Amino acid sequence: MGTDLVSSSPQKKSIVWISVVFFLSLIIIQTTLITFAIIIGLKLQKQEVINRAASFVNFIDNNTKEEIILQVISNNYQALEFIKFNILAHSNLTGLAIGNKKVIANWLADRAQCQIINHQSTTCHNEKTNTFIGINPIIYNNKTVAYVAKEIALPLEIGSNSVFWLCITIIITFLVNINGILFFYKKYVIHDINKLVNTFDGLHIKKTTTFNVLEYNIVYDKLLEFQANLNKANRKIAKARSYHTMVQTTQMLAHDVRKPFTLLNTVIELISSIDNIYEIKSILKKSITPIHAALDNVNSMIQDIMEIGNPQPPLAQKKTDLKKILHQALIEQFRYNDNLTVDLTYNLQHSHKLNIDPNRIIRVLSNIISNAIEHMGGTGNIWFLSKEIDNSWMEITIGNSNSYVPREFFSKIFDPFFSLNKNNGTGLGLAITRKIIEAHGGQISVTSTKESGTEFIFTLPITDELSVQTMENLLCSSQDYYTHYAIKASENSSNPPLTQHNDQKIETELCKKLNQRQLQIVIIDDEPVYRDYIREYISTSSYLSQHIVIDVFDTTEQALRHEAVLRQSNIIILDIDFGNNYMSGLTAAPIIKAHYPSTILCIHSNRYALELQRKISETGADLSIPKPMTRTHLLKLLDSICQATSANTTASLLQPLTTYPKSTTPNLKAQLTNPLSQTIPFYFQPDFVQVEDDSLIRTCWEINASQYNLKGVAYASYQQLQTTLPNIPTDTPVFIDVHLLNSEKDGLQIAEELHERGFTDLYLSTGNSEHELSPPSWIKRVIGKDFPIAYLRYGQKNTAQTN
């Protein structure tokens, strides 16, 4: 491309050639001007010197003239010589003659060819001696009685006129240089630079420009080539960003989808240990609402993603009172959470109903209010303003304190997937809000200051029907809404008997060990419903509830501020994920262990714990248990704590949960906290091992395993499997996917290595058939992706756990 453009303009010269020619021409002009100035200056100097000399040699004062006349008339030549001597002594003359014409002619003979004119003064220049001679007649009674000839050496000094012209020449030369340089840069530099700049239209370069200089055409061609490459790169980056955004959104959805499953698994585990129908109804009544809320949240996120890319369906507009839909939105925001402290104020100055699709505008209000609650940290003020504009529109303002949006984000905050320090969500709420507002013909904007907070201002169409002038339904705080509209379950104080043999046996042993002692448990988890279920595990037994104290905290920062509670606790159950604005459990764990080393720290997450085992071990945590924690696991854990505190050693707590003999792992806690440890230990013997790179399949197996009271470990690659492979018993069933992404070895290679290490219960989990793979004879079976309950020693495992 660049070669074509250069070849099409052969008349263009290089900037080097143009510069050389231009500056040589400028030097020649300067030299000519300076030479001319010197010549003129010398001539002017000479003329000025001659004029001064002439004025000097032609001057004879009257006294001298009279004296000469007197002595000539009296023929007193001696007196004339005295006069001559006196003049020479008091002047800078180099020669002087006084006499008649003949005397003067003889005096001039060896000096200069100077003509003597009667009655007139004459001057002449002696080139040889560079002297100037002036002859002045002495006239008496109209007769020339004598002549006075003076000779003076011409000075070499420069006259004032010469200096003036020389200065003028220097100034003119300077101006010529400046104008020449400006002309050069304007024509060959600035002009082409301006043309080059004007070729840019945003990030686009016009392709119809030529330049005076060869180099600019070359640069221009390179820019066009660079633009073409840049456009290709931008397309690749945009494609990669879209993939990255999809991955982020998928990960976020996967995390939030786990919540209702966690709640469901916990509720199932809880009610399976109770045979009192009234207690079961009470638990279900408490659970249905939060489970529905979690499912609605997931459904809303999926709906957001589907809606943002689809055309807006037709609006079902009708006359709607703003106060009514605002009241509904506030109920939905505050009825589930009693931890908010939000004051609500209203200044509604409208008088007409809105012409809107009420369901979609409720969503707008909910999006803005929930966004405000999250950014203000659940504490502060939210205000609502309204006024009518031009009898056609209503301007609605929703503002909140304790939050700030920088001005540079005003134009981005309504873009899809944009998120500003949010803990959850897809980043589509405000984008959908703008889409709904604009579908109604309105507009939305945001303003924010650090002092007053953030306000969202939007307009909606109104009707000619008057709205109901009442404020009785709008409450003044989040607590008022929670008090009036929260769904509360009736408390049942009966203590139902435990029917599951496993839990009953563990609880009996735990009660014996507790005796008159008291255990203190700290739960740090941001899911209030899950915290309530853990409490419910203990409250089902009146004896346990008397001897076990549970303290709960929403965030790690909140827990770290309660030093006395943490210091007195026997075990701290710590979640990992608390959102972007709060310290994660992995960050807080080393701090907790450093300040409270004698307290047992258990990392607890709804993510697969063993996928994070290396990070968990580096924090110094004593245990890691995947969510949801069953009542059986909790009772076992508390039983181990009692045993450990009785022996005053952590090793005794960890020993019942590990599969290693005391001779090989005397102190598992030390091994966990040792950063040089090459393998990661388990606190339990896994029922199975899964090697699968699909996180969804791993999650499905995890959920199914929890339903059968099984615990498995999952790995996404061979690298992850290596970290714990030496600690896995060789009779553990291992299910391996054949095709693994981002793995150093494929499934068949991993199976071969495990076989060489002595593993005997190996399976291939793949969509391929056994005939297609032709597996080795030591592979027990090729199965699909469904949970392999038929190949797990479920009954035997249960018996072992019970015993």
Side-chain angles (χ1 to χ4, degrees):
M1 180 173 53
T3 306
D4 295 341
L5 185 56
V6 173
S7 61
S8 65
S9 305
Q11 73 278 10
K12 304 302 177 185
K13 303 295 182 183
S14 170
I15 188 68
V16 177
W17 186 88
I18 295 173
S19 301
V20 169
V21 172
F22 176 81
F23 284 105
L24 282 176
S25 302
L26 201 60
I27 291 172
I28 293 172
I29 294 173
Q30 291 179 17
T31 304
T32 303
L33 287 173
I34 293 174
T35 303
F36 176 76
I38 292 173
I39 293 172
I40 295 298
L42 290 176
K43 286 186 177 181
L44 292 174
Q45 174 190 0
K46 181 178 180 181
Q47 187 61 42
E48 182 179 0
V49 170
I50 291 174
N51 290 339
R52 287 196 304 177
S55 63
F56 177 76
V57 298
N58 290 332
F59 175 75
I60 301 176
D61 61 275
N62 292 330
N63 291 333
T64 303
K65 281 183 179 182
E66 291 176 357
E67 188 68 25
I68 291 173
I69 291 171
L70 179 62
Q71 301 304 329
V72 169
I73 292 174
S74 61
N75 294 320
N76 188 351
Y77 293 105
Q78 290 182 351
L80 288 176
E81 288 297 324
F82 178 78
I83 294 171
K84 177 181 176 182
F85 176 78
N86 190 38
I87 292 173
L88 287 173
H90 294 85
S91 68
N92 56 353
L93 296 174
T94 59
L96 178 65
I98 301 176
N100 56 24
K101 187 174 183 179
K102 184 177 180 180
V103 172
I104 297 302
N106 291 334
W107 183 80
L108 290 172
D110 57 351
R111 282 178 169 81
Q113 299 296 325
C114 193
Q115 186 177 2
I116 302 173
I117 303 173
N118 294 333
H119 306 298
Q120 292 183 5
S121 297
T122 59
T123 57
C124 57
H125 182 214
N126 187 352
E127 298 287 347
K128 295 181 180 180
T129 60
N130 194 31
T131 57
F132 192 77
I133 299 173
I135 303 173
N136 299 294
I138 305 298
I139 299 173
Y140 177 72
N141 291 333
N142 297 323
K143 293 182 179 181
T144 302
V145 297
Y147 293 91
V148 177
K150 295 180 180 180
E151 184 183 40
I152 186 172
L154 293 176
L156 296 178
E157 62 192 31
I158 299 177
S160 59
N161 287 333
S162 299
V163 173
F164 172 77
W165 282 104
L166 186 60
C167 290
I168 291 296
T169 303
I170 292 174
I171 293 172
I172 292 174
T173 303
F174 176 76
L175 293 176
V176 169
N177 286 338
I178 293 298
N179 280 282
I181 293 172
L182 290 176
F183 171 78
F184 173 81
Y185 279 102
K186 183 177 180 180
K187 182 174 181 180
Y188 295 105
V189 179
I190 298 175
H191 179 265
D192 279 2
I193 287 177
N194 288 334
K195 288 180 68 177
L196 186 61
V197 171
N198 290 332
T199 60
F200 289 89
D201 181 14
L203 293 177
H204 178 70
I205 303 176
K206 301 175 184 177
K207 298 183 180 180
T208 58
T209 303
T210 57
F211 302 90
N212 296 323
V213 181
L214 177 64
E215 284 79 1
Y216 284 103
N217 286 285
I218 295 174
V219 171
Y220 177 64
D221 293 341
K222 293 296 183 184
L223 284 174
L224 290 175
E225 183 179 352
F226 173 75
Q227 177 184 253
N229 294 332
L230 183 62
N231 290 338
K232 292 180 182 178
N234 284 336
R235 286 192 292 269
K236 291 182 180 179
I237 291 173
K239 193 173 183 179
R241 282 178 178 172
S242 66
Y243 289 152
H244 180 67
T245 301
M246 291 171 61
V247 169
Q248 281 186 322
T249 304
T250 303
Q251 290 175 342
M252 189 161 41
L253 277 170
H255 180 266
D256 287 343
V257 164
R258 287 192 182 109
K259 287 188 177 181
F261 284 111
T262 300
L263 295 176
L264 286 169
N265 280 325
T266 306
V267 171
I268 292 171
E269 172 65 24
L270 187 59
I271 64 177
S272 65
S273 63
I274 300 172
D275 57 2
N276 186 317
I277 188 63
Y278 298 103
E279 183 65 18
I280 292 175
K281 286 184 177 181
S282 175
I283 293 172
L284 289 175
K285 192 171 183 180
K286 287 182 180 180
S287 305
I288 287 175
T289 298
I291 290 174
H292 273 302
L295 291 172
D296 289 343
N297 180 54
V298 173
N299 182 61
S300 177
M301 295 175 68
I302 296 173
Q303 185 179 352
D304 285 349
I305 295 174
M306 296 178 64
E307 182 173 337
I308 196 66
N310 294 328
Q312 187 75 25
L315 299 174
Q317 289 178 274
K318 59 183 179 180
K319 299 176 181 179
T320 307
D321 195 325
L322 172 62
K323 300 185 190 71
K324 181 179 179 181
I325 59 173
L326 178 58
H327 183 57
Q328 293 177 10
L330 290 172
I331 291 174
E332 293 304 317
Q333 290 300 318
F334 297 126
R335 69 186 302 180
Y336 300 116
N337 197 338
D338 64 340
N339 295 322
L340 302 177
T341 307
V342 180
D343 293 326
L344 307 173
T345 57
Y346 312 89
N347 185 12
L348 306 180
Q349 301 296 325
H350 66 279
S351 57
H352 292 82
K353 290 185 176 181
L354 294 167
N355 183 23
I356 58 170
D357 185 328
N359 291 329
R360 296 190 187 178
I361 298 303
I362 288 176
R363 189 172 185 188
V364 167
L365 298 174
S366 297
N367 283 345
I368 297 176
I369 295 170
S370 63
N371 193 67
I373 294 170
E374 182 169 357
H375 281 281
M376 64 197 292
T379 303
N381 300 317
I382 298 180
W383 56 90
F384 303 91
L385 313 176
S386 70
K387 63 179 181 180
E388 295 183 4
I389 304 174
D390 300 332
N391 296 324
S392 300
W393 297 93
M394 184 187 301
E395 182 182 273
I396 302 169
T397 300
I398 302 177
N400 65 275
S401 61
N402 300 339
S403 72
Y404 172 65
V405 179
R407 180 174 293 274
E408 59 266 26
F409 295 134
F410 284 5
S411 59
K412 301 178 182 179
I413 199 169
F414 298 104
D415 292 343
F417 300 106
F418 179 83
S419 180
L420 186 63
N421 299 324
K422 286 193 67 175
N423 299 328
N424 47 48
T426 60
L428 296 175
L430 290 178
I432 293 173
T433 295
R434 180 175 64 177
K435 188 175 182 180
I436 294 173
I437 294 294
E438 291 177 350
H440 284 80
Q443 295 179 338
I444 186 170
S445 61
V446 61
T447 62
S448 186
T449 63
K450 292 182 178 180
E451 295 78 17
S452 59
T454 303
E455 288 187 336
F456 286 90
I457 305 167
F458 56 95
T459 55
L460 292 171
I462 61 176
T463 65
D464 55 359
E465 183 176 332
L466 295 177
S467 62
V468 179
Q469 300 298 321
T470 178
M471 299 289 288
E472 59 183 6
N473 290 331
L474 296 175
L475 305 181
C476 297
S477 70
S478 58
Q479 286 297 319
D480 290 343
Y481 274 99
Y482 181 79
T483 302
H484 285 77
Y485 296 100
I487 300 177
K488 295 180 169 54
S490 60
E491 297 295 331
N492 192 329
S493 58
S494 62
N495 299 318
L498 298 175
T499 57
Q500 244 186 11
H501 174 71
N502 193 26
D503 284 1
Q504 187 176 21
K505 181 178 179 180
I506 298 173
E507 183 178 342
T508 302
E509 292 297 323
L510 177 59
C511 292
K512 291 179 181 179
K513 292 173 183 177
L514 284 173
N515 198 8
Q516 299 301 319
R517 300 175 53 204
Q518 189 175 66
L519 286 181
Q520 288 189 292
I521 304 174
V522 172
I523 302 174
I524 308 174
D525 196 301
D526 60 348
E527 296 182 22
V529 176
Y530 189 76
R531 297 196 305 264
D532 291 342
Y533 286 140
I534 298 296
R535 285 172 167 172
E536 197 78 35
Y537 289 158
I538 302 301
S539 64
T540 54
S541 170
S542 60
Y543 187 83
L544 292 180
S545 60
Q546 292 174 6
H547 290 79
I548 298 176
V549 178
I550 299 179
D551 294 289
V552 297
F553 299 101
D554 295 335
T555 65
T556 51
E557 289 88 348
Q558 182 186 17
L560 290 173
R561 289 194 291 268
H562 292 75
E563 297 181 7
V565 176
L566 297 181
R567 186 176 297 107
Q568 296 172 5
S569 62
N570 299 102
I571 182 169
I572 299 173
I573 300 174
L574 176 62
D575 193 12
I576 292 179
D577 302 306
F578 291 89
N580 296 331
N581 291 340
Y582 300 100
M583 184 189 303
S584 74
L586 294 177
T587 304
I591 302 174
I592 294 174
K593 289 305 294 181
H595 287 79
Y596 316 103
S598 62
T599 302
I600 303 301
L601 178 59
C602 174
I603 296 291
H604 194 40
S605 176
N606 58 11
R607 286 197 268 169
Y608 240 153
L610 289 175
E611 293 181 357
L612 300 171
Q613 272 291 0
R614 183 166 295 281
K615 290 183 179 179
I616 293 173
S617 66
E618 291 172 355
T619 66
D622 303 297
L623 303 171
S624 61
I625 300 178
K627 281 187 178 179
M629 181 189 293
T630 65
R631 191 172 191 271
T632 303
H633 281 102
L634 180 61
L635 293 176
K636 281 185 176 182
L637 186 59
L638 297 180
D639 182 70
S640 299
I641 291 174
C642 288
Q643 182 178 346
T645 53
S646 299
N648 197 21
T649 173
T650 306
S652 61
L653 162 66
L654 299 177
Q655 188 62 35
L657 300 178
T658 184
T659 61
Y660 312 113
K662 292 183 179 181
S663 59
T664 59
T665 55
N667 192 344
L668 184 55
K669 179 178 177 182
Q671 186 178 0
L672 272 168
T673 56
N674 182 8
L676 299 178
S677 178
Q678 297 300 313
T679 61
I680 299 174
F682 295 140
Y683 69 91
F684 64 91
Q685 178 174 339
D687 295 302
F688 66 91
V689 174
Q690 179 190 19
V691 184
E692 171 64 59
D693 61 352
D694 191 322
S695 61
L696 180 59
I697 295 175
R698 295 199 304 269
T699 302
C700 291
W701 280 40
E702 178 184 9
I703 294 170
N704 279 278
S706 66
Q707 293 176 353
Y708 291 101
N709 200 24
L710 296 173
K711 286 292 181 180
V713 291
Y715 307 93
S717 65
Y718 173 74
Q719 299 90 295
Q720 293 182 4
L721 175 63
Q722 280 184 310
T723 60
T724 54
L725 189 56
N727 295 330
I728 300 175
T730 55
D731 63 343
T732 304
V734 183
F735 301 88
I736 310 168
D737 186 15
V738 175
H739 307 289
L740 296 171
L741 299 177
N742 302 318
S743 177
E744 294 178 357
K745 295 185 178 182
D746 62 27
L748 288 172
Q749 291 173 326
I750 295 173
E752 185 174 356
E753 178 175 334
L754 295 180
H755 176 66
E756 293 174 356
R757 285 175 176 260
F759 283 82
T760 58
D761 206 3
L762 299 176
Y763 300 85
L764 295 181
S765 173
T766 178
N768 300 98
S769 66
E770 191 167 347
H771 175 72
E772 291 174 320
L773 293 176
S774 299
S777 58
W778 38 263
I779 294 291
K780 285 199 169 182
R781 186 65 62 88
V782 177
I783 65 172
K785 296 291 186 177
D786 294 332
F787 184 68
I789 186 60
Y791 304 101
L792 293 176
R793 294 167 294 177
Y794 177 62
Q796 183 179 349
K797 291 289 182 181
N798 271 350
T799 303
Q801 289 174 356
T802 304
N803 296 332

